[in-house]
Amino acid sequence: MIYLTVALDGVNPKEYVLEKEVITIGRAPENDVCIENIGVSTHHAKITSAGLQLDDLNSSNGTYVNDQKVQTQLLENGDVIKVGKHEIRFFHSGEVQHDLTPLAPTYKVPTTKTNS
């Protein structure tokens, strides 16, 4: 299971608990983690949970891990991902190194989407 905490300037963080094979991050509402900010591309990045790999999806402003611009990066507990001006803290349940008590509202993303 992957845990992401998303914040802008450390204000009003949102915590996401994600149980999917591929997690998408971007400005478009269909992303698993939707960040409504002009500095974030429509489809900015993705995380593959099996290998804990982050891939930039040719975003306009790039994706950074621990202040280093990356195209592809294997993630470790506590890594800080930056998209636009937003900071995303990455944690996974394989090696919990912090208290996973929600810091803010928690959003569970379902493993499958249903059409209503």
Side-chain angles (χ1 to χ4, degrees):
M1 190 174 314
I2 291 177
Y3 304 84
L4 301 175
T5 302
V6 181
L8 175 62
D9 297 327
V11 179
N12 298 324
K14 291 182 183 177
E15 186 170 276
Y16 295 81
V17 179
L18 302 151
E19 298 177 310
K20 294 181 70 177
E21 178 64 29
V22 177
I23 298 157
T24 59
I25 302 167
R27 195 173 66 237
E30 67 263 20
N31 286 290
D32 299 309
V33 178
C34 179
I35 302 173
E36 297 177 20
N37 184 280
I38 195 71
V40 178
S41 293
T42 306
H43 300 283
H44 199 102
K46 70 177 181 176
I47 299 171
T48 305
S49 62
L52 301 178
Q53 179 174 306
L54 171 76
D55 294 297
D56 181 83
L57 300 176
N58 298 314
S59 64
S60 298
N61 294 318
T63 301
Y64 295 78
V65 176
N66 302 326
D67 293 322
Q68 298 293 315
K69 188 173 184 177
V70 300
Q71 184 62 41
T72 298
Q73 176 73 36
L74 294 178
L75 296 171
E76 297 181 13
N77 261 340
D79 278 347
V80 177
I81 303 163
K82 288 187 181 173
V83 294
K85 293 184 178 183
H86 285 75
E87 187 173 274
I88 303 170
R89 295 199 176 265
F90 170 86
F91 301 97
H92 64 93
S93 60
E95 299 177 26
V96 177
Q97 296 179 348
H98 78 300
D99 179 10
L100 294 176
T101 305
L103 302 172
T106 299
Y107 303 89
K108 285 195 176 242
V109 176
T111 54
T112 57
K113 293 184 179 181
T114 59
N115 293 329
S116 302

